[in-house]
Amino acid sequence: MSERGRTVTPAEKNWAGNVTFGARRLCVPRSEAELRETVAASGAVRALGTRHSFNAVADTAGDLVSVAGLPRVVEIDPAAGAVTVSAGLRFGEFAGELNESGFALHNLGSLPHISVAGACATGTHGSGVGNRSLAGAVRALDMVTADGGTVSLRRGDADFPGAVVSMGALGVVTRLTLDVVPAFDVQQWVYEDLPEARLTGSFDEVLSAAYSVSVFTDWRPGPIGQVWLKQRVGSEGVRQAPGEWLGARLADGPRHPIAGVPAGNCTRQQGAAGAWHRRLPHFRLEFTPSNGDELQSEYFVARQDAAAAYEAVSRLRDRIAPLLQISEIRTVAGDDLWLSPASGRDSVAFHFTWIPDTAAVAPVLREIEEALAPFGARPHWGKVFTTAPDVLRTLYGEYADFEKLMARYDPAGTFRNAFLDRHFPG
């Protein structure tokens, strides 16, 4: 139904179905003027992206607002090496257009289905020792503030590093300007059964073996299940992959990260060269990657601690494996964004895709967090974690500065919710 030009529908659930939103309505404004009116008239409002968070970071008892209905913007500035996009766009909805213009983003996440604003606001990333998170490409953003006004921030502004990974706490982002690079092609190979000793003894060598590397394991004893290598096609042209690499063997066909699952919805492998946006994600835009019956958690440690952190988690393999669908290990280059999980340090992220059983998973999460505590492990803001707020405060140098930023941009608490109240009470 329609209310004063705004589309109003039930908020329903997140993508995984483990969070039922408590909002009274979901508003989808068709113009920035309608968005500003909606925000100014609501005492409590939160921006909702593609619903791919696995916790209540986007929830509210007031109004949810989606920017997916705002006019589509894709403005490429070749001279500046940048593209400005409307915040509600999914990466897969403009990457092809960017590529056809001769440009690329430095990286993409596993799913091209996620929105630009939501991914950046929670610190979502791809992989690669030289690749920052998706938020690391942001050079400017526009947002609607609690009073219905607008603010524009650019890299170099004092508030900018606190505003990019902000979980919607400062306003509703409407446009982002992203760094671009010249378009490039990528080849993707999958290797199977990497000896675990080769990973733990040569962690950096494995994770540095390609432009983007993902290690998939079920944490059961024995070899590492799969290693996905995504290599840029350089001046030497298309490469041939060796049949054996560090004791692992080249897969003889396409693979899904979860053993036994058909690979039809995965991006092309076996060295078939393709544009960056068709290889850097694990999954293809035209397919739903799964049915959503899962929970996800992820923890970031400093890259130099990767092997020791792996050993700490591996001691819990008997607790982890029965509840796990698959686990992925990736690298993320450091950045200077206050609440980025990779802030101030090159990082390795340990990702867990669980069966959809919160009661069973929660105690295992606490054990993982305890095992990773010596390494200052930071959880992904949009995934399931139990790390206490007083612990989180010690993991970020600008945590208190961000709380002050929240108070300055949103003094009445229009964008606050239970998640923010718990983790940023200051």
Side-chain angles (χ1 to χ4, degrees):
M1 60 181 175
S2 177
E3 178 182 299
R4 298 181 64 193
R6 295 187 293 273
T7 300
V8 182
T9 58
E12 301 176 351
K13 296 187 176 187
N14 67 336
W15 176 81
N18 68 305
V19 174
T20 300
F21 294 109
R24 59 194 172 208
R25 62 180 182 172
L26 170 62
C27 303
V28 188
R30 301 300 175 184
S31 69
E32 184 173 311
E34 289 183 11
L35 172 62
R36 294 173 63 182
E37 178 187 355
T38 298
V39 172
S42 179
V45 64
R46 293 286 291 165
L48 182 67
T50 44
R51 309 187 190 197
H52 201 256
S53 290
F54 292 80
N55 60 32
V57 63
D59 198 16
T60 179
D63 293 334
L64 283 171
V65 63
S66 168
V67 294
L70 296 183
R72 183 180 189 273
V73 174
V74 180
E75 298 173 354
I76 301 170
D77 186 340
V83 60
T84 298
V85 299
S86 41
L89 279 180
R90 300 182 298 165
F91 282 93
E93 291 175 332
F94 73 93
E97 182 176 342
L98 189 60
N99 182 70
E100 289 173 4
S101 298
F103 295 98
L105 300 176
H106 76 286
N107 211 355
L108 290 170
S110 298
L111 300 176
H113 310 70
I114 56 178
S115 70
V116 180
C120 292
T122 54
T124 298
H125 60 96
S127 188
V129 295
N131 298 327
R132 297 165 297 165
S133 72
L134 305 182
V138 178
R139 66 165 63 179
L141 61 84
D142 298 335
M143 64 182 175
V144 172
T145 53
D147 61 359
T150 59
V151 168
S152 296
L153 294 171
R154 303 188 63 83
R155 190 180 289 152
D157 292 344
D159 293 343
F160 179 82
V164 180
V165 182
S166 64
M167 291 158 283
L170 308 183
V172 179
V173 175
T174 57
R175 290 160 56 114
L176 299 101
T177 300
L178 310 173
D179 296 327
V180 297
V181 298
F184 56 93
D185 287 347
V186 173
Q187 293 176 269
Q188 179 170 220
W189 295 277
V190 175
Y191 282 87
E192 298 180 301
D193 295 333
L194 175 73
E196 188 175 43
R198 294 303 296 266
L199 176 64
T200 56
S202 308
F203 223 98
D204 211 52
E205 180 182 2
V206 172
L207 293 174
S208 304
Y211 184 79
S212 172
V213 178
S214 291
V215 175
F216 290 100
T217 178
D218 60 9
W219 293 100
R220 297 183 186 277
I224 303 299
Q226 298 177 10
V227 181
W228 290 33
L229 303 179
K230 301 172 189 276
Q231 186 63 58
R232 287 184 62 154
V233 176
S235 58
E236 71 279 10
V238 174
R239 302 182 182 184
Q240 297 299 317
E244 185 272 341
W245 169 74
L246 298 180
R249 69 177 185 279
L250 186 65
D252 60 5
R255 296 290 189 266
H256 189 283
I258 302 176
V261 176
N265 59 9
C266 296
T267 49
R268 286 193 64 185
Q269 303 157 24
Q270 298 181 284
W276 56 280
H277 66 290
R278 297 190 181 278
R279 296 293 182 272
L280 290 177
H282 296 333
F283 299 99
R284 297 160 63 184
L285 179 65
E286 58 266 34
F287 292 96
T288 301
S290 77
N291 59 12
D293 289 338
E294 62 191 50
L295 301 174
Q296 291 187 14
S297 302
E298 190 168 25
Y299 300 94
F300 297 68
V301 303
R303 185 173 155 193
Q304 65 264 25
D305 292 330
Y310 179 92
E311 293 286 0
V313 175
S314 70
R315 289 192 283 272
L316 299 171
R317 64 174 78 233
D318 290 344
R319 297 278 289 140
I320 294 171
L323 301 174
L324 192 69
Q325 296 191 41
I326 196 63
S327 185
E328 182 178 8
I329 304 170
R330 293 176 286 181
T331 54
V332 191
D335 58 50
D336 62 355
L337 305 176
W338 291 358
L339 292 185
S340 166
S343 180
R345 66 189 192 190
D346 293 338
S347 299
V348 170
F350 291 82
H351 175 276
F352 303 86
T353 298
W354 307 100
I355 64 172
D357 187 340
T358 301
V361 169
V364 178
L365 286 184
R366 286 190 284 270
E367 293 179 53
I368 292 173
E369 290 166 358
E370 182 178 350
L372 292 178
F375 311 107
R378 297 166 174 165
H380 188 296
W381 292 110
K383 299 181 181 179
V384 181
F385 63 91
T386 68
T387 308
D390 60 332
V391 174
L392 285 174
R393 184 176 295 276
T394 69
L395 302 178
Y396 293 91
E398 292 84 13
Y399 207 86
D401 293 328
F402 182 74
E403 290 179 317
K404 294 175 183 176
L405 201 63
M406 288 175 62
R408 181 153 52 85
Y409 274 80
D410 185 22
T414 298
F415 299 115
R416 279 193 165 273
N417 64 358
F419 181 95
L420 295 174
D421 286 344
R422 169 172 166 75
H423 295 101
F424 301 95

